[in-house]
Amino acid sequence: MDDTRPLTADPTRVGVRDVARAAGVSTQTVSRVINEHPNIRPETRDRVLQAIAALGYRVNNAARTLGTRTTRTLGVIASDATLYGPAVGIAALEAAARDAGRWIATAYSDASDEASVRDAADRLLGQGVDGLIVLAPHAATLTALTGAHPGVAIAALHTGPGAEQQEAGAALAISHLIELGHRRIGRVAGPAEWLEARSREAGMRRALEGPGLEAEPHWSGDWTAAAGAALAGRIAAAVRTPGGPTAVAAANDQMALGLIAGLREAGVDVPGDVSIVGFDDNPDAAFYRPALTTVGLDLAGEARRAVAAVLGERPSAAGAPRLVVRASTAPPR
């Protein structure tokens, strides 16, 4: 009886024995290749991988977990994914995990609600993820999460070296305005409970400590364009006040967008009356009117750092923040 099977077998019925038979190896060898055992000859590994591809064999993650104690999946806890920063953060983490031979499973939560974050973590840990990455965390919920799961590898995208990059980027935005000749610089901060907002605010304040700079009023919003627009009337009044700010740094591009639109409605010219700089280098920023000067971060590098931290590997350093100069900033009149 012919024991061979066609290489076009139904992938839902293909098993390890079929792969072993097609590759001319034992089922144990197939298992070792699937689980990335180091002591496999390259030519043997290639034969097994070719057989897997030809047969359309799909690895059973549950079975792999039993053999390796890993699902090769990282859990990502995210919130406010409608905002640009968290949305691109998830994409960057997915790419970094894939480069590391992993996948991500994402659970969404209310970052301000400790119970919501814990529920998201429990849901992911129940799936057997190998560690957790928290995206755009609040200080209190991140502390609660690490305290609730002391044996789990947990990293946050914008803490540690990531926070330093946030601070450096914010300082870069302020330094640009100073180099243009501005000495009265206002700022629009993000929500104070966000670690990311705290880092950006710290970077702005540090850059504003130089001699000859005057303390100016500052405002805060919730990262949205609507928040920037809502502040425009108060900022327009401050700009028109003698000795008022000649430039404003916003903690993200979306608030800067709303601010620019609101200032235009109030009859304030950007950059003629006040320069505006944002943060994030949103792809749409080049199409604002005027096009927005902003700061971009190496999100891909930050994502690789977070993935490496969860995996217990030495991460490579992310690239330095970059200033993108456009039409929304100019020397003061």
Side-chain angles (χ1 to χ4, degrees):
M1 178 178 177
D2 185 1
D3 195 35
T4 61
R5 298 188 185 187
L7 295 185
T8 56
D10 180 354
T12 63
R13 298 187 178 185
V14 171
V16 171
R17 288 188 178 86
D18 301 288
V19 175
R21 186 180 298 110
V25 298
S26 68
T27 56
Q28 185 179 24
T29 297
V30 174
S31 179
R32 287 178 175 174
V33 170
I34 290 171
N35 293 319
E36 301 183 2
H37 195 284
N39 298 325
I40 300 289
R41 288 188 294 181
E43 58 270 24
T44 301
R45 186 185 306 277
D46 289 344
R47 279 209 318 278
V48 171
L49 293 176
Q50 289 171 8
I52 287 173
L55 291 169
Y57 173 68
R58 297 170 185 167
V59 177
N60 184 323
N61 271 338
R64 169 185 267 177
T65 301
L66 291 174
T68 65
R69 298 180 182 270
T70 176
T71 60
R72 307 190 68 77
T73 302
L74 305 179
V76 174
I77 300 176
S79 60
D80 299 293
T82 56
L83 297 175
Y84 173 76
V88 297
I90 292 170
L93 286 170
E94 194 280 331
R98 187 173 62 247
D99 288 345
R102 266 69 174 180
W103 302 95
I104 67 168
T106 305
Y108 294 90
S109 68
D110 179 354
S112 65
D113 182 354
E114 181 179 321
S116 175
V117 174
R118 285 187 174 179
D119 286 346
D122 290 342
R123 193 177 317 125
L124 291 168
L125 293 172
Q127 298 175 24
V129 297
D130 299 334
L132 296 172
I133 300 174
V134 186
L135 182 63
H138 290 200
T141 52
L142 180 61
T143 300
L145 184 60
T146 54
H149 301 286
V152 177
I154 300 176
L157 190 61
H158 297 309
T159 59
E164 295 171 6
Q165 294 287 67
Q166 297 276 336
E167 288 192 29
L172 185 62
I174 296 294
S175 296
H176 166 66
L177 295 174
I178 294 172
E179 289 171 2
L180 287 174
H182 295 279
R183 294 296 178 267
R184 303 190 303 275
I185 302 170
R187 60 191 190 276
V188 177
E193 63 273 17
W194 285 53
L195 290 175
E196 192 172 2
R198 293 183 183 184
S199 297
R200 294 183 184 189
E201 176 68 2
M204 289 185 189
R205 288 200 311 269
R206 174 164 53 85
L208 286 167
E209 291 174 353
L213 300 175
E214 300 179 23
E216 289 299 323
H218 68 277
W219 306 267
S220 62
D222 63 2
W223 298 124
T224 65
L231 291 170
R234 292 158 59 188
I235 294 175
V239 169
R240 291 188 173 116
T241 300
T246 61
V248 175
N252 78 332
D253 289 348
Q254 286 172 289
M255 290 195 296
L257 166 63
L259 177 57
I260 290 172
L263 289 174
R264 182 184 301 114
E265 290 186 5
V268 175
D269 180 65
V270 178
D273 297 321
V274 62
S275 287
I276 304 293
V277 62
F279 196 117
D280 280 335
D281 194 22
N282 184 320
D284 294 339
F287 302 97
Y288 293 1
R289 288 295 176 265
L292 182 66
T293 295
T294 184
V295 171
L297 295 176
D298 178 15
L299 274 178
E302 286 301 310
R304 288 193 297 270
R305 178 194 59 78
V307 168
V310 168
L311 297 178
E313 299 173 353
R314 180 185 293 274
S316 57
R322 65 189 185 282
L323 178 70
V324 184
V325 179
R326 299 192 179 100
S328 69
T329 55
R333 290 198 293 202

